[in-house]
Amino acid sequence: MEKINVKEFALNQGVSLEKLIQHFAEKTEPELEEETQTIEELYEQQIKTNVHEVDSPVLLDERVIKEVSSKGLLIAAEHLDGEEGEIFIDANQVDFDKVEKKYLVHLGDQFHYYFMQNDKQSNFFLRGEQLLRQLERKMNIPTEKILLPPHTFQFLSGRGLTIRIDHPKIENLFIPKEYVFIDKVSQSVSVELSKNWNYYFQKEARTGKRKPPMEHIKGADLLKLLKSQSGVLDVKMTRKIRYANRKATLSQTNEYATQLEFLRKHAIHNVPELNQKIERRVENIQQLREKLLLLKEKIGEYNTVSKFLVAVNEYSFILEELQSPFANKTEIRKQYHQELSIYNQAIKELEKRGLSSTIATEKVVDLIKENQLHEKELRQELRQQEQQLQDFQHIKEVLVELREEDIKEQEKERIQSQKSEQEK
């Protein structure tokens, strides 16, 4: 027994390695001891996370942590469609900062972090960089907005901005459109960056079919580089912005045409009718979410019942042995003490629910699958309703904006008319 090699961390806080060896030696059953250390202390004492240079450390606020255990953290996150969810971060990627009294997670920017569903990993995930930016925004970690030196402006499209730097050589560094800001008056471009975010670029421009490899740079280093660039005048800058604006105007015209077709399709003739459509979608979404919540509880209950039925079927042989006239009942009860405890508990839980222990497990499994399929259909319907709501709300914003522009234009015409009359 002295050669036993079990990590005490794996035994959780309730049983120490010393006591376990003692129980083995004395052939007695282990008993849970009182917990003597907190989860925070557990993370403090474990071997610190081996951080890769691309990993991004994030100190988490309590508002984003849903659950803490010795296995890791369950944190709140949003799917790409905005739906709330939860992502599990393994303990190997978590430390506890004694100074800040907060959990520190190390996120790999290219790593996939999967959403949890019914205590299991789903097929939906966020890349580490997406999760990092989402968490920092939720915790209001400040970003930095910097005016882009003119000569670094490479290409502007509907997707975002591509920049370049001569020294050191940086080509094709892409920044998504949500972090790009164009001042049409000063004809300047600003970008929003964060020191902890990750960016990728190429050291040389693409030539022919050969595509240069992507290199990594942290936001802090990118900010330093951009600040160190002199404001060399680029006469092409204005033309680039004007070209981008023309494309944006054309895109906007196409968008207006699409929205007009959308309004005709849904038989919407005025703003009140549009408001009615929005209210109806909001109600539908609320009802669907309530149905999904009830369905989730229902599936969870079926899963629980299934576990009880499995336990009853698995350990029913012990009852058969006990009913034998030649059985040593005391020895059997001692040998299967834990199994009998699980069996009896399962029987009690089934009786509490008014269910027979003879129900076929397969029948319950079929009900679970049937409800999971229904859940999938409801989620699909929910996504459609949410998309329609988003479309309606966007059209309303455009209509309000156009109305405001129309009022401003009328006001300009009125002022101009007054000036003309005064001049006469």
Side-chain angles (χ1 to χ4, degrees), residues 330-411:
T330 304
E331 188 63 33
I332 291 172
R333 286 195 177 94
K334 186 178 178 182
Q335 182 182 353
Y336 296 110
H337 171 74
Q338 190 176 2
E339 289 83 353
L340 279 169
S341 175
I342 293 170
Y343 176 88
N344 290 329
Q345 183 63 31
I347 290 291
K348 282 181 185 177
E349 291 293 339
L350 289 170
E351 287 176 352
K352 192 193 295 183
R353 290 166 171 78
L355 299 172
S356 168
S357 59
T358 58
I359 295 173
T361 310
E362 292 78 10
K363 185 178 179 181
V364 180
V365 171
D366 287 342
L367 283 171
I368 293 170
K369 288 179 180 177
E370 182 183 319
N371 280 275
Q372 284 176 335
L373 181 62
H374 185 39
E375 182 186 32
K376 186 178 178 181
E377 290 169 352
L378 284 178
R379 287 198 180 280
Q380 187 176 354
E381 187 180 348
L382 177 62
R383 280 194 289 271
Q384 289 173 350
Q385 291 290 318
E386 286 175 334
Q387 183 59 54
Q388 285 186 9
L389 175 62
Q390 189 177 336
D391 291 339
F392 285 136
Q393 287 174 332
H394 179 60
I395 289 175
K396 184 179 177 180
E397 287 171 8
V398 171
L399 290 175
V400 170
E401 188 180 329
L402 288 172
R403 177 60 180 159
E404 287 173 353
E405 286 180 4
D406 187 41
I407 291 170
K408 286 179 184 177
E409 196 63 36
Q410 288 176 9
E411 183 63 19

Coordinates of all heavy atoms in Angstrom, one line a residue, residues 330-411:
T330 N -26.8 -11.7 5.7 CA -26.0 -10.7 6.3 C -24.7 -10.4 5.5 O -24.3 -9.2 5.3 CB -25.5 -11.2 7.7 OG1 -26.7 -11.5 8.5 CG2 -24.7 -10.2 8.4
E331 N -24.1 -11.4 4.9 CA -23.0 -11.3 4.1 C -23.3 -10.6 2.8 O -22.5 -9.7 2.3 CB -22.4 -12.7 3.8 CG -21.0 -12.7 3.1 CD -19.9 -12.0 3.9 OE1 -20.0 -12.1 5.2 OE2 -19.1 -11.4 3.3
I332 N -24.4 -10.9 2.2 CA -24.9 -10.3 1.0 C -25.1 -8.8 1.2 O -24.6 -8.0 0.4 CB -26.1 -10.9 0.4 CG1 -25.8 -12.4 -0.1 CG2 -26.7 -10.1 -0.8 CD1 -27.0 -13.2 -0.5
R333 N -25.8 -8.5 2.3 CA -26.0 -7.0 2.6 C -24.7 -6.3 2.8 O -24.6 -5.1 2.4 CB -26.9 -6.9 3.8 CG -28.4 -7.2 3.5 CD -29.3 -6.7 4.6 NE -30.7 -7.0 4.3 CZ -31.4 -8.1 4.7 NH1 -30.7 -9.0 5.4 NH2 -32.6 -8.3 4.3
K334 N -23.8 -6.9 3.5 CA -22.5 -6.3 3.7 C -21.7 -6.1 2.4 O -21.1 -5.1 2.1 CB -21.7 -7.2 4.7 CG -20.4 -6.5 5.1 CD -19.6 -7.4 6.1 CE -18.3 -6.7 6.5 NZ -17.5 -7.6 7.5
Q335 N -21.7 -7.2 1.5 CA -21.0 -7.1 0.3 C -21.6 -6.1 -0.7 O -20.8 -5.4 -1.4 CB -21.1 -8.5 -0.4 CG -20.3 -8.6 -1.7 CD -20.4 -10.0 -2.4 OE1 -21.0 -10.9 -1.8 NE2 -19.9 -10.1 -3.6
Y336 N -22.9 -5.9 -0.7 CA -23.6 -5.0 -1.6 C -24.2 -3.9 -0.9 O -25.3 -3.4 -1.3 CB -24.6 -5.8 -2.5 CG -24.1 -6.9 -3.3 CD1 -24.3 -8.2 -3.1 CD2 -23.3 -6.5 -4.5 CE1 -23.8 -9.2 -3.9 CE2 -22.8 -7.5 -5.3 CZ -23.0 -8.9 -5.0 OH -22.5 -9.9 -5.8
H337 N -23.5 -3.4 0.1 CA -24.1 -2.3 0.9 C -24.4 -1.1 0.1 O -25.5 -0.5 0.1 CB -23.1 -2.0 2.1 CG -23.5 -0.7 2.8 ND1 -24.6 -0.7 3.7 CD2 -23.0 0.5 2.8 CE1 -24.7 0.5 4.2 NE2 -23.8 1.3 3.7
Q338 N -23.4 -0.6 -0.7 CA -23.6 0.6 -1.5 C -24.6 0.4 -2.6 O -25.4 1.3 -2.8 CB -22.2 1.0 -2.1 CG -22.2 2.4 -2.7 CD -20.9 2.8 -3.2 OE1 -19.9 2.1 -3.1 NE2 -20.8 4.0 -3.8
E339 N -24.6 -0.8 -3.3 CA -25.5 -1.0 -4.4 C -26.9 -1.1 -3.9 O -27.8 -0.5 -4.5 CB -25.1 -2.4 -5.0 CG -23.9 -2.3 -5.9 CD -22.6 -2.5 -5.0 OE1 -22.7 -2.6 -3.8 OE2 -21.5 -2.6 -5.6
L340 N -27.1 -1.7 -2.7 CA -28.5 -1.7 -2.1 C -29.0 -0.3 -1.7 O -30.2 0.0 -1.9 CB -28.5 -2.6 -0.9 CG -28.6 -4.1 -1.1 CD1 -28.3 -4.9 0.2 CD2 -29.9 -4.5 -1.7
S341 N -28.1 0.5 -1.2 CA -28.4 1.9 -0.9 C -28.9 2.6 -2.2 O -29.9 3.3 -2.1 CB -27.2 2.6 -0.3 OG -27.5 3.9 0.0
I342 N -28.2 2.4 -3.3 CA -28.5 3.1 -4.5 C -29.9 2.6 -5.0 O -30.8 3.3 -5.5 CB -27.4 2.9 -5.6 CG1 -26.2 3.6 -5.2 CG2 -27.9 3.3 -7.0 CD1 -24.9 3.2 -6.0
Y343 N -30.1 1.2 -4.9 CA -31.3 0.6 -5.4 C -32.5 1.1 -4.6 O -33.5 1.5 -5.2 CB -31.2 -0.9 -5.2 CG -32.4 -1.7 -5.5 CD1 -32.7 -2.1 -6.8 CD2 -33.4 -2.0 -4.6 CE1 -33.8 -2.8 -7.1 CE2 -34.5 -2.7 -4.9 CZ -34.8 -3.1 -6.2 OH -35.9 -3.8 -6.5
N344 N -32.4 1.1 -3.3 CA -33.5 1.6 -2.4 C -33.8 3.1 -2.7 O -35.0 3.4 -2.7 CB -33.1 1.4 -0.9 CG -33.1 -0.1 -0.6 OD1 -33.8 -0.9 -1.2 ND2 -32.3 -0.5 0.4
Q345 N -32.8 3.9 -2.9 CA -33.0 5.3 -3.1 C -33.7 5.4 -4.5 O -34.7 6.3 -4.6 CB -31.7 6.0 -3.2 CG -31.7 7.5 -3.4 CD -32.5 8.2 -2.3 OE1 -32.4 7.8 -1.1 NE2 -33.2 9.3 -2.6
A346 N -33.4 4.6 -5.5 CA -34.0 4.7 -6.8 C -35.5 4.3 -6.7 O -36.4 5.0 -7.3 CB -33.3 3.8 -7.8
I347 N -35.8 3.3 -5.9 CA -37.2 2.8 -5.7 C -38.0 3.9 -5.1 O -39.1 4.2 -5.5 CB -37.2 1.5 -4.9 CG1 -36.6 0.3 -5.6 CG2 -38.6 1.2 -4.4 CD1 -37.5 -0.1 -6.8
K348 N -37.4 4.6 -4.0 CA -38.1 5.7 -3.3 C -38.4 6.8 -4.3 O -39.5 7.4 -4.3 CB -37.2 6.2 -2.2 CG -37.2 5.3 -0.9 CD -36.4 5.9 0.1 CE -36.3 5.0 1.4 NZ -35.4 5.6 2.4
E349 N -37.4 7.2 -5.1 CA -37.6 8.3 -6.0 C -38.7 8.0 -7.1 O -39.5 8.9 -7.4 CB -36.3 8.7 -6.7 CG -35.2 9.3 -5.8 CD -35.6 10.7 -5.3 OE1 -36.5 11.3 -5.9 OE2 -35.1 11.1 -4.2
L350 N -38.7 6.8 -7.5 CA -39.7 6.4 -8.5 C -41.1 6.4 -7.9 O -42.1 6.8 -8.5 CB -39.4 5.0 -9.1 CG -38.2 4.9 -10.0 CD1 -37.8 3.5 -10.3 CD2 -38.5 5.7 -11.3
E351 N -41.2 5.9 -6.6 CA -42.5 5.9 -5.9 C -43.0 7.3 -5.7 O -44.2 7.6 -5.7 CB -42.4 5.1 -4.6 CG -42.3 3.6 -4.8 CD -42.0 2.9 -3.5 OE1 -41.8 3.5 -2.5 OE2 -42.0 1.6 -3.5
K352 N -42.0 8.2 -5.3 CA -42.4 9.6 -5.1 C -43.0 10.2 -6.3 O -43.9 11.1 -6.2 CB -41.1 10.3 -4.7 CG -41.3 11.7 -4.1 CD -40.1 12.6 -4.1 CE -39.1 11.9 -3.1 NZ -37.8 12.8 -3.0
R353 N -42.6 9.8 -7.5 CA -43.1 10.3 -8.7 C -44.3 9.5 -9.2 O -44.9 9.8 -10.3 CB -42.0 10.3 -9.8 CG -40.9 11.3 -9.6 CD -39.7 11.0 -10.4 NE -38.7 12.0 -10.4 CZ -37.9 12.2 -9.4 NH1 -37.9 11.4 -8.4 NH2 -37.0 13.2 -9.5
G354 N -44.7 8.5 -8.4 CA -45.9 7.7 -8.8 C -45.6 6.8 -10.0 O -46.5 6.5 -10.8
L355 N -44.3 6.3 -10.2 CA -43.9 5.5 -11.3 C -43.6 4.1 -10.8 O -43.0 3.9 -9.7 CB -42.7 6.1 -12.0 CG -42.9 7.5 -12.6 CD1 -41.6 8.1 -13.1 CD2 -44.0 7.5 -13.7
S356 N -43.8 3.2 -11.7 CA -43.5 1.8 -11.4 C -42.0 1.5 -11.8 O -41.5 2.0 -12.8 CB -44.4 0.8 -12.2 OG -43.9 -0.5 -12.1
S357 N -41.4 0.7 -11.0 CA -40.0 0.3 -11.3 C -39.9 -0.7 -12.5 O -38.8 -1.0 -12.9 CB -39.3 -0.3 -10.1 OG -40.0 -1.5 -9.7
T358 N -41.1 -1.1 -13.0 CA -41.0 -2.1 -14.1 C -41.2 -1.4 -15.5 O -41.2 -2.1 -16.5 CB -42.2 -3.1 -13.9 OG1 -43.5 -2.4 -13.9 CG2 -42.1 -3.9 -12.6
I359 N -41.2 -0.1 -15.4 CA -41.3 0.6 -16.7 C -40.0 0.3 -17.5 O -38.9 0.4 -17.0 CB -41.4 2.2 -16.5 CG1 -42.7 2.5 -15.8 CG2 -41.3 2.9 -17.8 CD1 -42.8 3.9 -15.4
A360 N -40.2 0.1 -18.8 CA -39.1 -0.2 -19.7 C -38.2 1.1 -19.9 O -38.7 2.1 -20.2 CB -39.5 -0.7 -21.0
T361 N -36.9 0.9 -19.6 CA -36.0 2.1 -19.8 C -36.0 2.6 -21.2 O -35.9 3.8 -21.4 CB -34.6 1.6 -19.4 OG1 -34.6 1.0 -18.1 CG2 -33.6 2.8 -19.3
E362 N -36.2 1.7 -22.2 CA -36.2 2.1 -23.6 C -37.3 3.0 -23.9 O -37.2 3.9 -24.7 CB -36.3 0.8 -24.5 CG -35.1 -0.1 -24.5 CD -35.1 -1.0 -23.2 OE1 -36.1 -1.0 -22.5 OE2 -34.0 -1.6 -23.0
K363 N -38.5 2.9 -23.2 CA -39.6 3.7 -23.4 C -39.3 5.2 -23.0 O -39.6 6.1 -23.6 CB -40.8 3.2 -22.6 CG -42.1 4.0 -22.8 CD -43.2 3.4 -22.0 CE -44.5 4.1 -22.2 NZ -45.6 3.6 -21.4
V364 N -38.6 5.3 -21.8 CA -38.2 6.6 -21.3 C -37.2 7.2 -22.3 O -37.2 8.4 -22.6 CB -37.6 6.5 -19.9 CG1 -37.2 7.9 -19.4 CG2 -38.6 5.9 -19.0
V365 N -36.2 6.4 -22.7 CA -35.2 6.9 -23.7 C -35.9 7.4 -25.0 O -35.5 8.5 -25.5 CB -34.2 5.8 -24.0 CG1 -33.2 6.2 -25.2 CG2 -33.3 5.4 -22.8
D366 N -36.9 6.7 -25.4 CA -37.6 7.2 -26.6 C -38.3 8.5 -26.4 O -38.3 9.4 -27.3 CB -38.7 6.1 -27.0 CG -38.1 4.9 -27.7 OD1 -36.9 5.0 -28.1 OD2 -38.7 3.8 -27.7
L367 N -38.8 8.7 -25.2 CA -39.5 10.0 -24.8 C -38.5 11.1 -24.8 O -38.7 12.2 -25.2 CB -40.2 9.8 -23.4 CG -41.5 9.1 -23.4 CD1 -41.9 8.9 -21.9 CD2 -42.6 9.9 -24.1
I368 N -37.3 10.8 -24.3 CA -36.2 11.8 -24.3 C -35.8 12.2 -25.7 O -35.7 13.4 -26.0 CB -34.9 11.2 -23.5 CG1 -35.2 11.0 -22.0 CG2 -33.7 12.2 -23.7 CD1 -34.1 10.2 -21.3
K369 N -35.7 11.2 -26.6 CA -35.3 11.5 -28.0 C -36.4 12.4 -28.6 O -36.1 13.3 -29.4 CB -35.1 10.2 -28.7 CG -33.8 9.5 -28.3 CD -33.6 8.2 -29.1 CE -32.3 7.5 -28.7 NZ -32.2 6.2 -29.5
E370 N -37.7 12.0 -28.4 CA -38.8 12.7 -29.0 C -38.8 14.1 -28.5 O -39.0 15.0 -29.3 CB -40.1 11.9 -28.6 CG -41.3 12.5 -29.1 CD -42.6 11.8 -28.6 OE1 -42.5 10.6 -28.5 OE2 -43.6 12.5 -28.3
N371 N -38.6 14.4 -27.2 CA -38.6 15.7 -26.7 C -37.4 16.5 -27.1 O -37.5 17.7 -27.3 CB -38.7 15.7 -25.2 CG -40.1 15.4 -24.7 OD1 -40.9 16.4 -24.6 ND2 -40.4 14.2 -24.4
Q372 N -36.3 15.9 -27.3 CA -35.1 16.5 -27.8 C -35.3 17.0 -29.2 O -34.8 18.1 -29.6 CB -33.9 15.6 -27.7 CG -33.3 15.5 -26.3 CD -32.2 14.5 -26.2 OE1 -32.0 13.6 -27.0 NE2 -31.3 14.7 -25.2
L373 N -36.0 16.2 -30.0 CA -36.3 16.6 -31.4 C -37.2 17.8 -31.4 O -37.0 18.7 -32.2 CB -36.9 15.4 -32.1 CG -37.3 15.6 -33.6 CD1 -36.0 15.9 -34.4 CD2 -38.0 14.4 -34.2
H374 N -38.2 17.7 -30.5 CA -39.1 18.9 -30.4 C -38.4 20.1 -30.0 O -38.7 21.2 -30.5 CB -40.2 18.5 -29.4 CG -41.3 19.6 -29.3 ND1 -41.8 20.3 -30.4 CD2 -42.0 20.0 -28.2 CE1 -42.7 21.1 -30.0 NE2 -42.8 21.0 -28.6
E375 N -37.4 20.0 -29.1 CA -36.6 21.1 -28.6 C -35.8 21.7 -29.8 O -35.7 22.9 -29.9 CB -35.7 20.6 -27.5 CG -34.8 21.7 -26.9 CD -33.8 21.2 -25.9 OE1 -33.3 20.1 -26.1 OE2 -33.4 21.9 -25.0
K376 N -35.3 20.8 -30.6 CA -34.5 21.3 -31.7 C -35.4 22.1 -32.7 O -35.0 23.2 -33.2 CB -33.9 20.1 -32.5 CG -33.0 20.4 -33.6 CD -32.4 19.2 -34.3 CE -31.5 19.6 -35.4 NZ -30.9 18.4 -36.1
E377 N -36.6 21.6 -32.9 CA -37.6 22.3 -33.8 C -38.0 23.7 -33.2 O -38.0 24.7 -33.9 CB -38.8 21.5 -34.0 CG -38.6 20.2 -34.8 CD -39.8 19.3 -34.8 OE1 -40.7 19.5 -34.0 OE2 -39.8 18.3 -35.6
L378 N -38.2 23.7 -31.9 CA -38.5 25.0 -31.2 C -37.4 26.0 -31.3 O -37.6 27.2 -31.5 CB -38.9 24.7 -29.8 CG -40.3 24.1 -29.5 CD1 -40.5 23.9 -28.0 CD2 -41.4 25.0 -30.1
R379 N -36.2 25.5 -31.1 CA -35.0 26.4 -31.2 C -34.8 27.0 -32.6 O -34.5 28.1 -32.8 CB -33.7 25.6 -30.8 CG -33.6 25.3 -29.4 CD -32.2 25.0 -28.9 NE -32.2 24.7 -27.5 CZ -32.1 25.7 -26.5 NH1 -32.1 26.9 -26.9 NH2 -32.1 25.3 -25.3
Q380 N -35.1 26.1 -33.6 CA -35.0 26.6 -35.0 C -36.1 27.7 -35.2 O -35.8 28.7 -35.9 CB -35.3 25.4 -36.0 CG -35.0 25.8 -37.4 CD -35.1 24.6 -38.3 OE1 -35.3 23.5 -37.9 NE2 -35.1 24.9 -39.6
E381 N -37.3 27.4 -34.7 CA -38.4 28.4 -34.9 C -38.0 29.7 -34.1 O -38.3 30.8 -34.6 CB -39.7 27.9 -34.3 CG -40.9 28.7 -34.5 CD -42.2 28.2 -34.0 OE1 -42.2 27.0 -33.6 OE2 -43.2 28.9 -33.9
L382 N -37.4 29.6 -32.9 CA -37.0 30.7 -32.1 C -36.0 31.6 -32.9 O -36.1 32.8 -32.9 CB -36.4 30.3 -30.8 CG -35.8 31.4 -29.9 CD1 -36.9 32.3 -29.5 CD2 -35.1 30.8 -28.7
R383 N -35.0 30.9 -33.5 CA -34.0 31.6 -34.3 C -34.6 32.4 -35.5 O -34.3 33.5 -35.8 CB -32.9 30.7 -34.9 CG -31.9 30.3 -33.8 CD -30.7 29.6 -34.5 NE -31.0 28.3 -34.9 CZ -30.9 27.2 -34.2 NH1 -30.5 27.2 -33.0 NH2 -31.2 26.0 -34.7
Q384 N -35.6 31.8 -36.1 CA -36.3 32.4 -37.2 C -37.1 33.7 -36.7 O -37.1 34.7 -37.4 CB -37.3 31.5 -37.9 CG -36.6 30.4 -38.7 CD -37.6 29.3 -39.2 OE1 -38.8 29.3 -38.8 NE2 -37.2 28.4 -40.1
Q385 N -37.8 33.5 -35.6 CA -38.5 34.6 -35.0 C -37.6 35.8 -34.6 O -37.9 37.0 -34.8 CB -39.4 34.2 -33.8 CG -40.5 33.3 -34.2 CD -41.6 34.0 -34.9 OE1 -42.0 35.1 -34.5 NE2 -42.2 33.3 -35.9
E386 N -36.5 35.4 -34.0 CA -35.5 36.4 -33.6 C -34.9 37.1 -34.8 O -34.6 38.3 -34.7 CB -34.4 35.7 -32.7 CG -34.8 35.4 -31.4 CD -33.8 34.6 -30.6 OE1 -32.9 34.0 -31.2 OE2 -33.8 34.6 -29.3
Q387 N -34.6 36.4 -35.9 CA -34.1 37.0 -37.1 C -35.1 38.0 -37.7 O -34.8 39.1 -38.1 CB -33.7 35.9 -38.1 CG -33.1 36.5 -39.4 CD -31.8 37.2 -39.1 OE1 -30.9 36.7 -38.5 NE2 -31.7 38.5 -39.6
Q388 N -36.4 37.6 -37.7 CA -37.5 38.4 -38.2 C -37.6 39.7 -37.4 O -37.7 40.8 -37.9 CB -38.8 37.7 -38.3 CG -38.9 36.7 -39.4 CD -40.3 36.1 -39.5 OE1 -41.2 36.5 -38.9 NE2 -40.4 35.1 -40.4
L389 N -37.5 39.5 -36.0 CA -37.6 40.7 -35.1 C -36.4 41.6 -35.4 O -36.6 42.8 -35.5 CB -37.5 40.2 -33.7 CG -37.5 41.3 -32.6 CD1 -38.7 42.1 -32.6 CD2 -37.3 40.7 -31.2
Q390 N -35.2 41.1 -35.6 CA -34.1 41.9 -35.9 C -34.3 42.7 -37.2 O -33.9 43.8 -37.3 CB -32.8 41.0 -36.0 CG -31.5 41.7 -36.0 CD -30.3 40.8 -36.0 OE1 -30.4 39.7 -35.6 NE2 -29.2 41.3 -36.6
D391 N -34.8 42.0 -38.2 CA -35.1 42.6 -39.5 C -36.1 43.8 -39.4 O -35.9 44.9 -39.9 CB -35.6 41.6 -40.5 CG -34.5 40.6 -40.9 OD1 -33.3 40.9 -40.7 OD2 -34.9 39.5 -41.4
F392 N -37.2 43.5 -38.6 CA -38.2 44.5 -38.4 C -37.6 45.7 -37.7 O -37.9 46.9 -38.0 CB -39.4 43.9 -37.7 CG -40.3 43.0 -38.5 CD1 -40.8 41.8 -38.0 CD2 -40.7 43.4 -39.8 CE1 -41.6 41.0 -38.8 CE2 -41.5 42.6 -40.6 CZ -41.9 41.4 -40.1
Q393 N -36.9 45.4 -36.6 CA -36.3 46.5 -35.8 C -35.3 47.4 -36.6 O -35.3 48.6 -36.5 CB -35.6 46.0 -34.6 CG -36.6 45.5 -33.5 CD -35.9 44.8 -32.4 OE1 -34.9 44.2 -32.5 NE2 -36.6 44.8 -31.2
H394 N -34.6 46.7 -37.5 CA -33.6 47.4 -38.3 C -34.3 48.3 -39.3 O -33.9 49.5 -39.5 CB -32.7 46.4 -39.1 CG -31.7 47.0 -40.0 ND1 -30.7 47.9 -39.5 CD2 -31.5 47.0 -41.3 CE1 -30.0 48.4 -40.5 NE2 -30.5 47.8 -41.6
I395 N -35.4 47.8 -39.9 CA -36.2 48.6 -40.9 C -36.8 49.8 -40.2 O -36.8 50.9 -40.7 CB -37.2 47.7 -41.5 CG1 -36.6 46.7 -42.5 CG2 -38.3 48.6 -42.3 CD1 -37.5 45.8 -43.1
K396 N -37.2 49.6 -38.9 CA -37.8 50.7 -38.2 C -36.8 51.8 -37.9 O -37.1 53.0 -38.1 CB -38.4 50.2 -36.8 CG -39.1 51.3 -36.0 CD -39.7 50.7 -34.7 CE -40.3 51.9 -33.9 NZ -40.9 51.4 -32.7
E397 N -35.6 51.3 -37.6 CA -34.5 52.3 -37.3 C -34.2 53.1 -38.6 O -34.0 54.3 -38.5 CB -33.2 51.6 -36.9 CG -33.3 51.0 -35.5 CD -32.1 50.1 -35.1 OE1 -31.2 50.0 -36.0 OE2 -32.1 49.5 -34.1
V398 N -34.2 52.4 -39.7 CA -33.9 53.1 -41.0 C -35.0 54.1 -41.3 O -34.7 55.2 -41.7 CB -33.8 52.0 -42.2 CG1 -33.7 52.7 -43.5 CG2 -32.5 51.2 -42.0
L399 N -36.3 53.7 -41.1 CA -37.4 54.6 -41.4 C -37.4 55.8 -40.5 O -37.6 56.9 -40.9 CB -38.7 53.8 -41.2 CG -39.1 52.7 -42.2 CD1 -40.3 52.0 -41.8 CD2 -39.2 53.3 -43.6
V400 N -37.0 55.6 -39.2 CA -36.9 56.7 -38.3 C -35.8 57.7 -38.7 O -35.9 58.9 -38.7 CB -36.6 56.2 -36.8 CG1 -36.3 57.4 -35.9 CG2 -37.9 55.5 -36.3
E401 N -34.6 57.1 -39.1 CA -33.5 57.8 -39.6 C -33.8 58.7 -40.8 O -33.5 59.8 -41.0 CB -32.3 56.9 -39.9 CG -31.0 57.6 -40.2 CD -29.9 56.6 -40.5 OE1 -29.9 55.5 -40.0 OE2 -29.0 57.0 -41.3
L402 N -34.5 58.0 -41.8 CA -35.0 58.7 -43.0 C -35.9 59.8 -42.7 O -35.9 60.9 -43.3 CB -35.6 57.7 -44.0 CG -34.7 56.7 -44.7 CD1 -35.5 55.7 -45.4 CD2 -33.7 57.4 -45.6
R403 N -36.8 59.6 -41.7 CA -37.8 60.6 -41.3 C -37.0 61.8 -40.7 O -37.4 63.0 -41.0 CB -38.8 60.0 -40.3 CG -39.8 61.0 -39.7 CD -40.6 61.6 -40.8 NE -41.6 62.6 -40.3 CZ -42.2 63.5 -41.0 NH1 -41.9 63.6 -42.3 NH2 -43.0 64.3 -40.5
E404 N -36.0 61.5 -39.9 CA -35.3 62.6 -39.3 C -34.5 63.4 -40.3 O -34.4 64.6 -40.3 CB -34.3 62.0 -38.2 CG -35.0 61.6 -37.0 CD -34.0 60.8 -36.0 OE1 -32.9 60.6 -36.4 OE2 -34.5 60.5 -34.9
E405 N -33.9 62.7 -41.3 CA -33.2 63.4 -42.4 C -34.2 64.3 -43.2 O -33.8 65.4 -43.6 CB -32.5 62.3 -43.3 CG -31.3 61.7 -42.7 CD -30.6 60.7 -43.6 OE1 -31.1 60.5 -44.7 OE2 -29.7 60.0 -43.1
D406 N -35.4 63.7 -43.4 CA -36.4 64.5 -44.2 C -36.7 65.8 -43.4 O -36.9 66.8 -44.0 CB -37.6 63.6 -44.4 CG -38.6 64.3 -45.3 OD1 -38.2 64.9 -46.3 OD2 -39.8 64.2 -45.0
I407 N -36.9 65.7 -42.1 CA -37.2 66.8 -41.3 C -36.1 67.9 -41.3 O -36.3 69.1 -41.5 CB -37.5 66.4 -39.8 CG1 -38.8 65.6 -39.7 CG2 -37.6 67.6 -38.9 CD1 -39.1 65.0 -38.4
K408 N -34.8 67.4 -41.2 CA -33.7 68.3 -41.3 C -33.6 69.0 -42.7 O -33.3 70.2 -42.8 CB -32.4 67.5 -41.1 CG -32.1 67.0 -39.7 CD -30.9 66.2 -39.5 CE -30.7 65.7 -38.1 NZ -29.5 64.8 -38.0
E409 N -33.9 68.2 -43.7 CA -33.9 68.8 -45.1 C -34.9 69.8 -45.2 O -34.7 70.9 -45.8 CB -34.1 67.7 -46.1 CG -33.7 68.0 -47.5 CD -32.3 68.4 -47.7 OE1 -31.4 67.7 -47.0 OE2 -32.0 69.3 -48.5
Q410 N -36.1 69.6 -44.7 CA -37.2 70.6 -44.7 C -36.8 71.8 -44.0 O -37.1 73.0 -44.4 CB -38.5 70.0 -44.2 CG -39.1 68.9 -45.1 CD -40.4 68.3 -44.4 OE1 -40.8 68.7 -43.4 NE2 -40.9 67.2 -45.1
E411 N -36.2 71.6 -42.8 CA -35.7 72.8 -42.0 C -34.7 73.6 -42.7 O -34.7 74.8 -42.7 CB -35.2 72.2 -40.7 CG -34.7 73.3 -39.7 CD -35.9 74.2 -39.2 OE1 -37.1 73.8 -39.3 OE2 -35.6 75.3 -38.7

